[in-house]
Amino acid sequence: MAEILDGYYDPDKHYDYTYLSLGAGVQSSALLLMLEKGLFGMDKYKVDVCFFADTQGEPYWVYDQLSKLKEQSSLPIKIVTGGNLGQQYIDGAVHKKHRFSTLPIYTKDEETDHRGIVKRACTWDFKVLPQERAMRAFMGFKKGERISGKKNVLSLMGISWDEVRRIKPNKTPWIDNAFPLVDERITRGKCEQVLKEHGWNDGEPVRRSACLYCPFRSDSAWLWLSQNEPEVFKEACEFDKAIRDQSKSGLRSKAYLHKSCSPLEEYDFTRGGQLEFNFTGCDEGHCGV
């Protein structure tokens, strides 16, 4: 029998609680539907609660999709938040008003042309921790109260088979991660098919969830946004301009949302070159699902 690594689902382990990490995008919405209807054997998971970690920076359609999921799901869906990610970043990184969670922005030194990318903390601070705190409260534990050895919790993650490289163990000792879509080799395309067949989202295609200012969009995704959602794209451009100068917080280089280190509103997305929007660098696997 294969060894079960720490932080991963162990079928022989007793879990006191199970929650779904819900992003309200394609995969996690499909997983919620499968859990509801017992499709692909998903009824083996007894979900107690679903958590949507709101960065307060998602595009409007994610909130629309979340609202419809809350209407149609019999499972309790709770919205948790660590605050407004975009605003706290600008306040901290640009104006040095307080500490801030870093975003994976691209940087360019204007003198040397040296380029880089900032290591992110946004996923952990605004996705993982709010859900962990909410789960702690859901179980009746106070802040700082020891949970390890008292309760075991299972977190269901909506990562599909074609994104298997994104699976990670949970870093919190009392939580293990499970990846039901990966276990059943269900792809993103299959998730879209299941959502369409069962009529969720009123027959409209379910769109990917991600902050409107996420730097991991591909050129094709930015192009689509600029052509089909100009107001959302405009917000992203305004954010891109707002974060350019972070010298007050110690960053000598200029900051950009696009890998080319060009202003978002000026870049020609038909040239290609930006990494695909697959969150290959996301440490926790909570975004884009």
Side-chain angles (χ1 to χ4, degrees), residues 5-272:
L5 301 178
D6 290 342
Y8 287 105
Y9 170 56
D10 183 347
D12 295 324
K13 187 175 182 178
H14 171 72
Y15 292 98
D16 301 282
Y17 296 92
T18 297
Y19 73 90
L20 169 64
S21 178
L22 181 65
V26 174
Q27 288 101 318
S28 64
S29 295
L31 179 54
L32 176 59
L33 185 152
M34 295 171 191
L35 292 165
E36 284 272 4
K37 298 183 177 294
L39 303 177
F40 306 102
M42 298 297 179
D43 52 349
K44 70 178 180 181
Y45 300 104
K46 307 303 179 184
V47 178
D48 298 287
V49 64
C50 308
F51 293 126
F52 174 81
D54 185 10
T55 65
Q56 300 179 34
E58 297 273 0
Y60 72 88
W61 60 78
V62 174
Y63 297 109
D64 289 347
Q65 290 167 182
L66 176 65
S67 178
K68 291 174 182 176
L69 290 175
K70 291 181 71 174
E71 291 175 2
Q72 299 181 65
S73 175
S74 63
L75 296 173
I77 298 176
K78 297 185 179 296
I79 299 174
V80 300
T81 185
N84 188 314
L85 171 57
Q87 190 60 56
Q88 72 87 36
Y89 182 77
I90 291 175
D91 288 345
V94 178
H95 302 296
K96 202 181 178 181
K97 291 183 178 179
H98 49 60
R99 295 180 64 184
F100 61 96
S101 297
T102 53
L103 302 179
I105 56 166
Y106 300 102
T107 61
K108 175 184 175 182
D109 188 298
E110 298 296 311
E111 295 181 2
T112 65
D113 199 42
H114 177 76
R115 305 186 184 207
I117 184 171
V118 175
K119 184 177 180 180
R120 90 187 52 74
C122 50
T123 302
W124 178 257
D125 292 342
F126 283 81
K127 289 288 186 178
V128 180
L129 285 183
Q131 294 188 55
E132 181 180 311
R133 294 184 185 118
M135 191 67 236
R136 173 184 289 273
F138 186 84
M139 295 187 296
F141 285 86
K142 298 178 182 179
K143 180 180 179 180
E145 187 176 356
R146 179 181 173 83
I147 298 178
S148 296
K150 298 180 180 180
K151 298 292 181 182
N152 294 316
V153 175
L154 185 63
S155 171
L156 304 184
M157 307 287 291
I159 292 177
S160 54
W161 173 246
D162 41 337
E163 295 184 340
V164 65
R165 63 193 174 280
R166 295 180 59 206
I167 66 173
K168 301 282 185 181
N170 203 298
K171 298 176 183 177
T172 302
W174 46 274
I175 304 178
D176 290 340
N177 284 344
F179 304 91
L181 300 177
V182 172
D183 292 342
E184 298 300 323
R185 301 195 176 191
I186 297 172
T187 64
R188 176 183 171 86
K190 182 64 175 179
C191 288
E192 292 174 330
Q193 179 184 341
V194 169
L195 288 168
K196 183 177 180 180
E197 288 178 351
H198 290 271
W200 281 38
N201 206 36
D202 298 331
E204 293 294 322
V206 175
R207 299 196 208 174
R208 190 187 298 270
S209 65
C211 294
L212 61 89
Y213 39 74
C214 180
F216 285 126
R217 278 183 173 81
S218 66
D219 282 355
S220 59
W222 282 123
L223 179 62
W224 185 94
L225 199 65
S226 66
Q227 293 177 338
N228 296 277
E229 295 288 353
E231 291 303 313
V232 176
F233 181 70
K234 181 180 178 181
E235 286 186 68
C237 290
E238 291 174 350
F239 186 87
D240 177 58
K241 287 188 289 186
I243 67 170
R244 192 79 70 237
D245 184 357
Q246 300 182 21
S247 57
K248 287 185 178 180
S249 60
L251 183 66
R252 291 181 54 190
S253 301
K254 298 299 183 183
Y256 299 85
L257 290 185
H258 195 270
K259 190 182 180 183
S260 67
C261 293
S262 302
L264 197 59
E265 64 182 354
E266 299 176 8
Y267 189 76
D268 178 8
F269 300 112
T270 62
R271 295 192 304 178

